[in-house]
Amino acid sequence: MNMMARWHGKVVAALLALVTLGFVAWGAADALGDARELAKAGKWAEVESTLKAYFATGAANPAAEGLLGQALAQQGKNDAAAGHLERALAALPTP
């Protein structure tokens, strides 16, 4: 295989990786936006399931942690809510 063919293969692989990462990031942002809209409508069980699926992808986001904590608390799941709310608060900058 000549050098140009190897270079082309690496460029294609890098572009595919970037496109994949872009779709993952877009999907994560979309899930958080969906969860926020569901929260506005008071659909707390749906907020919970949306954000649990979001976190199952390996995502980490303090705003999503806080929203999940709120959704759990609204459903009376206070013990589960506490961990998410603590993680959200821990991510806040200290003065």
Side-chain angles (χ1 to χ4, degrees):
M1 182 186 278
N2 67 28
M3 193 158 99
M4 188 61 122
R6 281 192 304 250
W7 178 81
H8 183 267
K10 289 181 181 181
V11 168
V12 169
L15 288 173
L16 286 173
L18 287 173
V19 167
T20 300
L21 287 173
F23 279 120
V24 169
W26 176 77
D30 194 41
L32 184 54
D34 289 348
R36 285 181 174 141
E37 290 301 315
L38 291 166
K40 287 179 188 175
K43 297 180 178 181
W44 299 111
E46 291 179 50
V47 172
E48 177 186 359
S49 63
T50 299
L51 291 176
K52 283 185 175 181
Y54 169 75
F55 284 120
T57 67
N61 182 310
E65 288 282 4
L67 185 55
L68 180 53
Q70 181 182 2
L72 292 165
Q74 288 289 334
Q75 296 174 83
K77 301 175 182 179
N78 296 330
D79 290 339
H84 293 285
L85 294 171
E86 287 171 3
R87 282 189 289 280
L89 290 173
L92 291 175
T94 55

